[in-house]
PDB file of all heavy atoms in Angstrom:
ATOM      1  N   VAL A  30      38.843 191.580  49.635  1.00  0.00           N
ATOM      2  CA  VAL A  30      37.573 191.401  48.997  1.00  0.00           C
ATOM      3  C   VAL A  30      37.803 191.407  47.445  1.00  0.00           C
ATOM      4  O   VAL A  30      38.387 192.292  46.899  1.00  0.00           O
ATOM      5  CB  VAL A  30      36.587 192.507  49.325  1.00  0.00           C
ATOM      6  CG1 VAL A  30      35.175 192.260  48.797  1.00  0.00           C
ATOM      7  CG2 VAL A  30      36.538 192.828  50.773  1.00  0.00           C
ATOM      8  N   THR A  31      37.362 190.280  46.839  1.00  0.00           N
ATOM      9  CA  THR A  31      37.501 190.129  45.407  1.00  0.00           C
ATOM     10  C   THR A  31      36.227 189.586  44.730  1.00  0.00           C
ATOM     11  O   THR A  31      35.244 189.084  45.585  1.00  0.00           O
ATOM     12  CB  THR A  31      38.697 189.071  45.130  1.00  0.00           C
ATOM     13  OG1 THR A  31      38.306 187.797  45.670  1.00  0.00           O
ATOM     14  CG2 THR A  31      39.913 189.554  45.586  1.00  0.00           C
ATOM     15  N   SER A  32      36.008 189.770  43.594  1.00  0.00           N
ATOM     16  CA  SER A  32      34.913 189.321  42.852  1.00  0.00           C
ATOM     17  C   SER A  32      35.160 189.128  41.380  1.00  0.00           C
ATOM     18  O   SER A  32      36.111 189.655  40.837  1.00  0.00           O
ATOM     19  CB  SER A  32      33.712 190.302  43.033  1.00  0.00           C
ATOM     20  OG  SER A  32      33.836 191.451  42.199  1.00  0.00           O
ATOM     21  N   LYS A  33      34.327 188.351  40.801  1.00  0.00           N
ATOM     22  CA  LYS A  33      34.454 187.965  39.368  1.00  0.00           C
ATOM     23  C   LYS A  33      34.207 189.347  38.524  1.00  0.00           C
ATOM     24  O   LYS A  33      34.596 189.505  37.251  1.00  0.00           O
ATOM     25  CB  LYS A  33      33.458 187.010  38.848  1.00  0.00           C
ATOM     26  CG  LYS A  33      33.781 185.598  39.433  1.00  0.00           C
ATOM     27  CD  LYS A  33      32.881 184.555  39.150  1.00  0.00           C
ATOM     28  CE  LYS A  33      33.170 183.159  39.876  1.00  0.00           C
ATOM     29  NZ  LYS A  33      32.169 182.130  39.501  1.00  0.00           N
ATOM     30  N   ALA A  34      33.373 190.262  39.209  1.00  0.00           N
ATOM     31  CA  ALA A  34      33.128 191.591  38.406  1.00  0.00           C
ATOM     32  C   ALA A  34      34.405 192.424  38.416  1.00  0.00           C
ATOM     33  O   ALA A  34      34.437 193.339  37.679  1.00  0.00           O
ATOM     34  CB  ALA A  34      31.947 192.260  39.162  1.00  0.00           C
ATOM     35  N   GLY A  35      35.376 192.206  39.188  1.00  0.00           N
ATOM     36  CA  GLY A  35      36.598 192.985  39.201  1.00  0.00           C
ATOM     37  C   GLY A  35      36.952 193.685  40.515  1.00  0.00           C
ATOM     38  O   GLY A  35      37.992 194.308  40.586  1.00  0.00           O
ATOM     39  N   THR A  36      36.164 193.499  41.485  1.00  0.00           N
ATOM     40  CA  THR A  36      36.484 193.989  42.891  1.00  0.00           C
ATOM     41  C   THR A  36      37.927 193.330  43.277  1.00  0.00           C
ATOM     42  O   THR A  36      38.098 192.103  43.323  1.00  0.00           O
ATOM     43  CB  THR A  36      35.525 193.707  43.964  1.00  0.00           C
ATOM     44  OG1 THR A  36      34.369 194.588  43.560  1.00  0.00           O
ATOM     45  CG2 THR A  36      35.982 194.026  45.319  1.00  0.00           C
ATOM     46  N   ASP A  37      38.820 194.244  43.827  1.00  0.00           N
ATOM     47  CA  ASP A  37      40.049 193.773  44.459  1.00  0.00           C
ATOM     48  C   ASP A  37      40.489 194.821  45.406  1.00  0.00           C
ATOM     49  O   ASP A  37      41.158 195.791  45.186  1.00  0.00           O
ATOM     50  CB  ASP A  37      41.180 193.673  43.271  1.00  0.00           C
ATOM     51  CG  ASP A  37      42.401 193.054  43.838  1.00  0.00           C
ATOM     52  OD1 ASP A  37      42.581 192.631  45.033  1.00  0.00           O
ATOM     53  OD2 ASP A  37      43.344 192.851  43.102  1.00  0.00           O
ATOM     54  N   LEU A  38      39.988 194.578  46.646  1.00  0.00           N
ATOM     55  CA  LEU A  38      40.045 195.582  47.711  1.00  0.00           C
ATOM     56  C   LEU A  38      40.844 195.014  48.929  1.00  0.00           C
ATOM     57  O   LEU A  38      40.637 193.815  49.203  1.00  0.00           O
ATOM     58  CB  LEU A  38      38.646 195.896  48.137  1.00  0.00           C
ATOM     59  CG  LEU A  38      38.363 197.314  48.804  1.00  0.00           C
ATOM     60  CD1 LEU A  38      38.635 198.469  47.774  1.00  0.00           C
ATOM     61  CD2 LEU A  38      36.878 197.421  49.277  1.00  0.00           C
ATOM     62  N   SER A  39      41.686 195.877  49.483  1.00  0.00           N
ATOM     63  CA  SER A  39      42.363 195.368  50.707  1.00  0.00           C
ATOM     64  C   SER A  39      42.112 196.362  51.819  1.00  0.00           C
ATOM     65  O   SER A  39      42.013 197.636  51.570  1.00  0.00           O
ATOM     66  CB  SER A  39      43.903 195.307  50.411  1.00  0.00           C
ATOM     67  OG  SER A  39      44.390 196.619  50.280  1.00  0.00           O
ATOM     68  N   VAL A  40      41.797 195.837  52.989  1.00  0.00           N
ATOM     69  CA  VAL A  40      41.506 196.626  54.138  1.00  0.00           C
ATOM     70  C   VAL A  40      42.392 196.261  55.350  1.00  0.00           C
ATOM     71  O   VAL A  40      42.451 195.174  55.803  1.00  0.00           O
ATOM     72  CB  VAL A  40      40.034 196.537  54.677  1.00  0.00           C
ATOM     73  CG1 VAL A  40      39.773 197.438  55.740  1.00  0.00           C
ATOM     74  CG2 VAL A  40      39.152 196.680  53.345  1.00  0.00           C
ATOM     75  N   ALA A  41      43.228 197.177  55.792  1.00  0.00           N
ATOM     76  CA  ALA A  41      44.019 196.964  57.095  1.00  0.00           C
ATOM     77  C   ALA A  41      43.029 197.040  58.309  1.00  0.00           C
ATOM     78  O   ALA A  41      42.382 197.991  58.456  1.00  0.00           O
ATOM     79  CB  ALA A  41      45.072 198.010  57.154  1.00  0.00           C
ATOM     80  N   MET A  42      42.965 195.918  58.995  1.00  0.00           N
ATOM     81  CA  MET A  42      42.035 195.727  60.078  1.00  0.00           C
ATOM     82  C   MET A  42      42.582 196.048  61.469  1.00  0.00           C
ATOM     83  O   MET A  42      41.739 196.253  62.471  1.00  0.00           O
ATOM     84  CB  MET A  42      41.457 194.357  60.143  1.00  0.00           C
ATOM     85  CG  MET A  42      40.640 193.973  58.847  1.00  0.00           C
ATOM     86  SD  MET A  42      39.326 195.055  58.441  1.00  0.00           S
ATOM     87  CE  MET A  42      38.220 194.780  59.770  1.00  0.00           C
ATOM     88  N   GLU A  43      43.839 196.241  61.585  1.00  0.00           N
ATOM     89  CA  GLU A  43      44.396 196.651  62.952  1.00  0.00           C
ATOM     90  C   GLU A  43      43.986 197.980  63.215  1.00  0.00           C
ATOM     91  O   GLU A  43      44.012 198.957  62.573  1.00  0.00           O
ATOM     92  CB  GLU A  43      46.009 196.460  62.919  1.00  0.00           C
ATOM     93  CG  GLU A  43      46.449 195.108  62.654  1.00  0.00           C
ATOM     94  CD  GLU A  43      47.939 195.162  62.587  1.00  0.00           C
ATOM     95  OE1 GLU A  43      48.581 196.251  62.588  1.00  0.00           O
ATOM     96  OE2 GLU A  43      48.626 194.052  62.569  1.00  0.00           O
ATOM     97  N   GLY A  44      43.376 198.080  64.589  1.00  0.00           N
ATOM     98  CA  GLY A  44      42.728 199.296  65.001  1.00  0.00           C
ATOM     99  C   GLY A  44      41.380 199.621  64.668  1.00  0.00           C
ATOM    100  O   GLY A  44      40.846 200.602  64.959  1.00  0.00           O
ATOM    101  N   ALA A  45      40.896 198.785  63.852  1.00  0.00           N
ATOM    102  CA  ALA A  45      39.470 198.982  63.305  1.00  0.00           C
ATOM    103  C   ALA A  45      38.358 198.674  64.521  1.00  0.00           C
ATOM    104  O   ALA A  45      38.686 197.894  65.413  1.00  0.00           O
ATOM    105  CB  ALA A  45      39.106 198.077  62.260  1.00  0.00           C
ATOM    106  N   SER A  46      37.340 199.377  64.472  1.00  0.00           N
ATOM    107  CA  SER A  46      36.210 199.178  65.398  1.00  0.00           C
ATOM    108  C   SER A  46      35.085 198.401  64.766  1.00  0.00           C
ATOM    109  O   SER A  46      34.686 198.756  63.710  1.00  0.00           O
ATOM    110  CB  SER A  46      35.683 200.506  65.841  1.00  0.00           C
ATOM    111  OG  SER A  46      34.609 200.197  66.696  1.00  0.00           O
ATOM    112  N   THR A  47      34.906 197.124  65.332  1.00  0.00           N
ATOM    113  CA  THR A  47      33.913 196.237  64.663  1.00  0.00           C
ATOM    114  C   THR A  47      32.793 195.897  65.624  1.00  0.00           C
ATOM    115  O   THR A  47      32.971 195.758  66.938  1.00  0.00           O
ATOM    116  CB  THR A  47      34.656 194.859  64.479  1.00  0.00           C
ATOM    117  OG1 THR A  47      35.793 195.072  63.540  1.00  0.00           O
ATOM    118  CG2 THR A  47      33.703 193.912  63.840  1.00  0.00           C
ATOM    119  N   VAL A  48      31.537 195.954  65.053  1.00  0.00           N
ATOM    120  CA  VAL A  48      30.271 195.758  65.842  1.00  0.00           C
ATOM    121  C   VAL A  48      29.527 194.715  65.091  1.00  0.00           C
ATOM    122  O   VAL A  48      29.493 194.710  63.847  1.00  0.00           O
ATOM    123  CB  VAL A  48      29.568 197.010  65.994  1.00  0.00           C
ATOM    124  CG1 VAL A  48      30.346 197.980  66.924  1.00  0.00           C
ATOM    125  CG2 VAL A  48      29.208 197.790  64.767  1.00  0.00           C
ATOM    126  N   GLY A  49      28.730 193.893  65.783  1.00  0.00           N
ATOM    127  CA  GLY A  49      27.845 192.922  65.333  1.00  0.00           C
ATOM    128  C   GLY A  49      26.369 193.392  65.800  1.00  0.00           C
ATOM    129  O   GLY A  49      26.232 193.663  66.914  1.00  0.00           O
ATOM    130  N   ILE A  50      25.476 193.275  64.957  1.00  0.00           N
ATOM    131  CA  ILE A  50      23.997 193.545  65.274  1.00  0.00           C
ATOM    132  C   ILE A  50      23.201 192.362  65.080  1.00  0.00           C
ATOM    133  O   ILE A  50      23.016 191.841  63.959  1.00  0.00           O
ATOM    134  CB  ILE A  50      23.439 194.792  64.394  1.00  0.00           C
ATOM    135  CG1 ILE A  50      24.395 195.965  64.568  1.00  0.00           C
ATOM    136  CG2 ILE A  50      22.070 195.036  64.939  1.00  0.00           C
ATOM    137  CD1 ILE A  50      24.371 196.590  65.953  1.00  0.00           C
ATOM    138  N   TRP A  51      22.526 191.844  66.241  1.00  0.00           N
ATOM    139  CA  TRP A  51      21.751 190.670  66.013  1.00  0.00           C
ATOM    140  C   TRP A  51      20.234 191.018  66.308  1.00  0.00           C
ATOM    141  O   TRP A  51      19.382 190.096  66.199  1.00  0.00           O
ATOM    142  CB  TRP A  51      22.254 189.525  67.014  1.00  0.00           C
ATOM    143  CG  TRP A  51      22.616 189.957  68.436  1.00  0.00           C
ATOM    144  CD1 TRP A  51      21.556 190.107  69.456  1.00  0.00           C
ATOM    145  CD2 TRP A  51      23.843 190.222  68.898  1.00  0.00           C
ATOM    146  NE1 TRP A  51      22.260 190.498  70.440  1.00  0.00           N
ATOM    147  CE2 TRP A  51      23.673 190.556  70.301  1.00  0.00           C
ATOM    148  CE3 TRP A  51      25.181 190.187  68.414  1.00  0.00           C
ATOM    149  CZ2 TRP A  51      24.656 190.884  71.082  1.00  0.00           C
ATOM    150  CZ3 TRP A  51      26.147 190.579  69.268  1.00  0.00           C
ATOM    151  CH2 TRP A  51      25.811 190.906  70.583  1.00  0.00           C
ATOM    152  N   GLY A  52      19.872 192.302  66.634  1.00  0.00           N
ATOM    153  CA  GLY A  52      18.481 192.618  66.678  1.00  0.00           C
ATOM    154  C   GLY A  52      17.889 193.040  67.911  1.00  0.00           C
ATOM    155  O   GLY A  52      16.757 193.394  67.930  1.00  0.00           O
ATOM    156  N   TRP A  53      18.558 192.915  69.128  1.00  0.00           N
ATOM    157  CA  TRP A  53      17.897 193.314  70.310  1.00  0.00           C
ATOM    158  C   TRP A  53      19.026 193.743  71.247  1.00  0.00           C
ATOM    159  O   TRP A  53      20.264 193.404  71.162  1.00  0.00           O
ATOM    160  CB  TRP A  53      17.184 192.138  70.998  1.00  0.00           C
ATOM    161  CG  TRP A  53      17.862 190.927  71.388  1.00  0.00           C
ATOM    162  CD1 TRP A  53      18.448 190.683  72.583  1.00  0.00           C
ATOM    163  CD2 TRP A  53      18.258 189.804  70.670  1.00  0.00           C
ATOM    164  NE1 TRP A  53      19.150 189.466  72.673  1.00  0.00           N
ATOM    165  CE2 TRP A  53      18.890 188.815  71.434  1.00  0.00           C
ATOM    166  CE3 TRP A  53      17.975 189.344  69.329  1.00  0.00           C
ATOM    167  CZ2 TRP A  53      19.474 187.687  70.978  1.00  0.00           C
ATOM    168  CZ3 TRP A  53      18.491 188.101  68.809  1.00  0.00           C
ATOM    169  CH2 TRP A  53      19.192 187.349  69.736  1.00  0.00           C
ATOM    170  N   CYS A  54      18.697 194.362  72.368  1.00  0.00           N
ATOM    171  CA  CYS A  54      19.647 194.952  73.276  1.00  0.00           C
ATOM    172  C   CYS A  54      19.144 194.584  74.694  1.00  0.00           C
ATOM    173  O   CYS A  54      18.152 195.063  75.125  1.00  0.00           O
ATOM    174  CB  CYS A  54      19.830 196.557  73.252  1.00  0.00           C
ATOM    175  SG  CYS A  54      18.268 197.416  73.181  1.00  0.00           S
ATOM    176  N   ASP A  55      19.912 193.753  75.348  1.00  0.00           N
ATOM    177  CA  ASP A  55      19.418 193.239  76.713  1.00  0.00           C
ATOM    178  C   ASP A  55      20.403 193.493  77.737  1.00  0.00           C
ATOM    179  O   ASP A  55      20.333 193.130  78.961  1.00  0.00           O
ATOM    180  CB  ASP A  55      19.167 191.685  76.685  1.00  0.00           C
ATOM    181  CG  ASP A  55      20.298 190.921  76.107  1.00  0.00           C
ATOM    182  OD1 ASP A  55      21.447 191.501  75.906  1.00  0.00           O
ATOM    183  OD2 ASP A  55      20.288 189.743  75.998  1.00  0.00           O
ATOM    184  N   ARG A  56      21.532 194.365  77.507  1.00  0.00           N
ATOM    185  CA  ARG A  56      22.491 194.586  78.539  1.00  0.00           C
ATOM    186  C   ARG A  56      22.447 196.225  78.688  1.00  0.00           C
ATOM    187  O   ARG A  56      22.271 196.872  77.722  1.00  0.00           O
ATOM    188  CB  ARG A  56      23.820 194.149  78.113  1.00  0.00           C
ATOM    189  CG  ARG A  56      24.004 192.683  77.898  1.00  0.00           C
ATOM    190  CD  ARG A  56      25.447 192.266  77.532  1.00  0.00           C
ATOM    191  NE  ARG A  56      25.493 192.673  76.137  1.00  0.00           N
ATOM    192  CZ  ARG A  56      26.305 193.589  75.590  1.00  0.00           C
ATOM    193  NH1 ARG A  56      26.884 194.477  76.520  1.00  0.00           N
ATOM    194  NH2 ARG A  56      26.311 193.849  74.330  1.00  0.00           N
ATOM    195  N   PRO A  57      22.764 196.635  79.914  1.00  0.00           N
ATOM    196  CA  PRO A  57      22.771 198.081  80.138  1.00  0.00           C
ATOM    197  C   PRO A  57      23.793 198.642  79.185  1.00  0.00           C
ATOM    198  O   PRO A  57      24.908 198.179  79.006  1.00  0.00           O
ATOM    199  CB  PRO A  57      23.310 198.136  81.531  1.00  0.00           C
ATOM    200  CG  PRO A  57      22.748 196.981  82.312  1.00  0.00           C
ATOM    201  CD  PRO A  57      22.900 195.798  81.187  1.00  0.00           C
ATOM    202  N   GLY A  58      23.459 199.849  78.621  1.00  0.00           N
ATOM    203  CA  GLY A  58      24.301 200.604  77.695  1.00  0.00           C
ATOM    204  C   GLY A  58      24.551 200.036  76.290  1.00  0.00           C
ATOM    205  O   GLY A  58      25.269 200.530  75.543  1.00  0.00           O
ATOM    206  N   SER A  59      23.735 198.950  75.949  1.00  0.00           N
ATOM    207  CA  SER A  59      23.895 198.318  74.611  1.00  0.00           C
ATOM    208  C   SER A  59      22.864 198.918  73.712  1.00  0.00           C
ATOM    209  O   SER A  59      21.907 199.559  74.000  1.00  0.00           O
ATOM    210  CB  SER A  59      23.671 196.860  74.809  1.00  0.00           C
ATOM    211  OG  SER A  59      22.244 196.601  75.231  1.00  0.00           O
ATOM    212  N   VAL A  60      23.227 198.791  72.295  1.00  0.00           N
ATOM    213  CA  VAL A  60      22.598 199.456  71.181  1.00  0.00           C
ATOM    214  C   VAL A  60      22.403 198.462  70.063  1.00  0.00           C
ATOM    215  O   VAL A  60      23.354 197.587  69.838  1.00  0.00           O
ATOM    216  CB  VAL A  60      23.344 200.630  70.671  1.00  0.00           C
ATOM    217  CG1 VAL A  60      22.513 201.266  69.529  1.00  0.00           C
ATOM    218  CG2 VAL A  60      23.720 201.693  71.699  1.00  0.00           C
ATOM    219  N   ALA A  61      21.213 198.348  69.551  1.00  0.00           N
ATOM    220  CA  ALA A  61      20.838 197.463  68.489  1.00  0.00           C
ATOM    221  C   ALA A  61      19.910 198.079  67.545  1.00  0.00           C
ATOM    222  O   ALA A  61      19.266 198.993  67.891  1.00  0.00           O
ATOM    223  CB  ALA A  61      20.269 196.120  69.077  1.00  0.00           C
ATOM    224  N   HIS A  62      19.770 197.370  66.322  1.00  0.00           N
ATOM    225  CA  HIS A  62      18.670 197.867  65.516  1.00  0.00           C
ATOM    226  C   HIS A  62      17.918 196.707  64.957  1.00  0.00           C
ATOM    227  O   HIS A  62      18.574 195.507  64.817  1.00  0.00           O
ATOM    228  CB  HIS A  62      19.219 198.808  64.387  1.00  0.00           C
ATOM    229  CG  HIS A  62      20.210 198.285  63.433  1.00  0.00           C
ATOM    230  ND1 HIS A  62      19.892 197.243  62.589  1.00  0.00           N
ATOM    231  CD2 HIS A  62      21.513 198.570  63.316  1.00  0.00           C
ATOM    232  CE1 HIS A  62      20.969 197.014  61.776  1.00  0.00           C
ATOM    233  NE2 HIS A  62      22.044 197.759  62.346  1.00  0.00           N
ATOM    234  N   TRP A  63      16.832 196.904  64.545  1.00  0.00           N
ATOM    235  CA  TRP A  63      15.847 195.898  63.900  1.00  0.00           C
ATOM    236  C   TRP A  63      15.322 196.460  62.641  1.00  0.00           C
ATOM    237  O   TRP A  63      14.759 197.640  62.670  1.00  0.00           O
ATOM    238  CB  TRP A  63      14.723 195.554  64.875  1.00  0.00           C
ATOM    239  CG  TRP A  63      13.635 194.710  64.498  1.00  0.00           C
ATOM    240  CD1 TRP A  63      13.551 193.654  63.454  1.00  0.00           C
ATOM    241  CD2 TRP A  63      12.202 194.801  64.816  1.00  0.00           C
ATOM    242  NE1 TRP A  63      12.421 193.149  63.276  1.00  0.00           N
ATOM    243  CE2 TRP A  63      11.517 193.806  64.061  1.00  0.00           C
ATOM    244  CE3 TRP A  63      11.618 195.672  65.752  1.00  0.00           C
ATOM    245  CZ2 TRP A  63      10.216 193.611  64.223  1.00  0.00           C
ATOM    246  CZ3 TRP A  63      10.241 195.432  65.885  1.00  0.00           C
ATOM    247  CH2 TRP A  63       9.538 194.431  65.229  1.00  0.00           C
ATOM    248  N   PRO A  64      15.401 195.775  61.548  1.00  0.00           N
ATOM    249  CA  PRO A  64      16.132 194.490  61.220  1.00  0.00           C
ATOM    250  C   PRO A  64      17.581 194.511  61.496  1.00  0.00           C
ATOM    251  O   PRO A  64      18.156 195.554  61.416  1.00  0.00           O
ATOM    252  CB  PRO A  64      15.816 194.281  59.660  1.00  0.00           C
ATOM    253  CG  PRO A  64      14.665 195.315  59.325  1.00  0.00           C
ATOM    254  CD  PRO A  64      14.921 196.391  60.282  1.00  0.00           C
ATOM    255  N   ALA A  65      18.061 193.351  61.647  1.00  0.00           N
ATOM    256  CA  ALA A  65      19.466 193.072  61.969  1.00  0.00           C
ATOM    257  C   ALA A  65      20.086 191.875  61.317  1.00  0.00           C
ATOM    258  O   ALA A  65      19.497 191.401  60.307  1.00  0.00           O
ATOM    259  CB  ALA A  65      19.576 192.986  63.475  1.00  0.00           C
ATOM    260  N   GLY A  66      21.142 191.453  61.791  1.00  0.00           N
ATOM    261  CA  GLY A  66      22.007 190.375  61.255  1.00  0.00           C
ATOM    262  C   GLY A  66      23.020 190.730  60.274  1.00  0.00           C
ATOM    263  O   GLY A  66      22.937 190.428  59.103  1.00  0.00           O
ATOM    264  N   LEU A  67      23.921 191.561  60.800  1.00  0.00           N
ATOM    265  CA  LEU A  67      25.110 191.908  60.043  1.00  0.00           C
ATOM    266  C   LEU A  67      26.256 192.306  60.944  1.00  0.00           C
ATOM    267  O   LEU A  67      26.067 192.517  62.092  1.00  0.00           O
ATOM    268  CB  LEU A  67      24.829 193.114  59.113  1.00  0.00           C
ATOM    269  CG  LEU A  67      24.457 194.514  59.668  1.00  0.00           C
ATOM    270  CD1 LEU A  67      24.587 195.568  58.602  1.00  0.00           C
ATOM    271  CD2 LEU A  67      23.156 194.560  60.359  1.00  0.00           C
ATOM    272  N   VAL A  68      27.449 192.490  60.394  1.00  0.00           N
ATOM    273  CA  VAL A  68      28.675 192.766  61.094  1.00  0.00           C
ATOM    274  C   VAL A  68      29.373 193.824  60.249  1.00  0.00           C
ATOM    275  O   VAL A  68      29.525 193.683  58.926  1.00  0.00           O
ATOM    276  CB  VAL A  68      29.530 191.512  61.343  1.00  0.00           C
ATOM    277  CG1 VAL A  68      29.968 190.855  60.129  1.00  0.00           C
ATOM    278  CG2 VAL A  68      30.759 192.026  62.241  1.00  0.00           C
ATOM    279  N   VAL A  69      29.860 194.964  60.898  1.00  0.00           N
ATOM    280  CA  VAL A  69      30.552 195.975  60.114  1.00  0.00           C
ATOM    281  C   VAL A  69      31.746 196.467  60.894  1.00  0.00           C
ATOM    282  O   VAL A  69      31.785 196.416  62.117  1.00  0.00           O
ATOM    283  CB  VAL A  69      29.669 197.192  59.926  1.00  0.00           C
ATOM    284  CG1 VAL A  69      28.449 196.928  58.935  1.00  0.00           C
ATOM    285  CG2 VAL A  69      29.089 197.714  61.126  1.00  0.00           C
ATOM    286  N   SER A  70      32.787 196.964  60.198  1.00  0.00           N
ATOM    287  CA  SER A  70      34.009 197.401  60.781  1.00  0.00           C
ATOM    288  C   SER A  70      34.258 198.781  60.236  1.00  0.00           C
ATOM    289  O   SER A  70      34.066 199.099  59.106  1.00  0.00           O
ATOM    290  CB  SER A  70      35.136 196.671  60.431  1.00  0.00           C
ATOM    291  OG  SER A  70      35.053 195.215  60.951  1.00  0.00           O
ATOM    292  N   PHE A  71      34.739 199.717  61.155  1.00  0.00           N
ATOM    293  CA  PHE A  71      35.088 201.179  60.843  1.00  0.00           C
ATOM    294  C   PHE A  71      36.593 201.097  60.833  1.00  0.00           C
ATOM    295  O   PHE A  71      37.132 201.168  61.942  1.00  0.00           O
ATOM    296  CB  PHE A  71      34.509 202.000  61.818  1.00  0.00           C
ATOM    297  CG  PHE A  71      32.955 202.125  61.665  1.00  0.00           C
ATOM    298  CD1 PHE A  71      32.289 201.214  62.413  1.00  0.00           C
ATOM    299  CD2 PHE A  71      32.354 203.119  60.963  1.00  0.00           C
ATOM    300  CE1 PHE A  71      30.870 201.222  62.371  1.00  0.00           C
ATOM    301  CE2 PHE A  71      30.978 203.181  60.873  1.00  0.00           C
ATOM    302  CZ  PHE A  71      30.235 202.211  61.579  1.00  0.00           C
ATOM    303  N   PRO A  72      37.348 201.037  59.738  1.00  0.00           N
ATOM    304  CA  PRO A  72      38.806 200.940  59.735  1.00  0.00           C
ATOM    305  C   PRO A  72      39.358 202.309  60.134  1.00  0.00           C
ATOM    306  O   PRO A  72      38.782 203.290  59.974  1.00  0.00           O
ATOM    307  CB  PRO A  72      39.137 200.735  58.278  1.00  0.00           C
ATOM    308  CG  PRO A  72      37.944 200.265  57.617  1.00  0.00           C
ATOM    309  CD  PRO A  72      36.805 200.919  58.390  1.00  0.00           C
ATOM    310  N   LYS A  73      40.556 202.238  60.805  1.00  0.00           N
ATOM    311  CA  LYS A  73      41.217 203.508  61.061  1.00  0.00           C
ATOM    312  C   LYS A  73      41.746 204.188  59.776  1.00  0.00           C
ATOM    313  O   LYS A  73      41.647 203.613  58.629  1.00  0.00           O
ATOM    314  CB  LYS A  73      42.503 203.211  62.004  1.00  0.00           C
ATOM    315  CG  LYS A  73      43.610 202.376  61.353  1.00  0.00           C
ATOM    316  CD  LYS A  73      44.753 202.318  62.339  1.00  0.00           C
ATOM    317  CE  LYS A  73      45.873 201.573  61.665  1.00  0.00           C
ATOM    318  NZ  LYS A  73      47.034 201.333  62.582  1.00  0.00           N
ATOM    319  N   ALA A  74      42.196 205.421  59.735  1.00  0.00           N
ATOM    320  CA  ALA A  74      42.459 206.139  58.738  1.00  0.00           C
ATOM    321  C   ALA A  74      43.623 205.567  57.865  1.00  0.00           C
ATOM    322  O   ALA A  74      44.598 204.951  58.440  1.00  0.00           O
ATOM    323  CB  ALA A  74      42.949 207.640  59.137  1.00  0.00           C
ATOM    324  N   GLY A  75      43.415 205.641  56.491  1.00  0.00           N
ATOM    325  CA  GLY A  75      44.452 205.151  55.614  1.00  0.00           C
ATOM    326  C   GLY A  75      44.552 203.700  55.428  1.00  0.00           C
ATOM    327  O   GLY A  75      45.654 203.104  55.086  1.00  0.00           O
TER     328      GLY A  75
END
């Protein structure tokens, strides 16, 4: 992740848990939230 403001970030993604939320849950055991429309990853330690 970089930016003109000075961001220069590196994230190791191997082993990360990634979820996407589109705003509804139509399958057993699924979870969603409203408002939605985003994707997030929880990286492993370090």
Side-chain angles (χ1 to χ4, degrees):
V30 186
T31 59
S32 75
K33 294 176 183 177
T36 291
D37 188 0
L38 206 62
S39 64
V40 185
M42 298 302 292
E43 292 180 354
S46 178
T47 300
V48 294
I50 304 294
W51 46 82
W53 68 90
C54 49
D55 56 5
R56 293 175 292 105
S59 59
V60 180
H62 62 71
W63 170 34
L67 70 162
V68 58
V69 294
S70 296
F71 295 83
K73 67 179 184 180

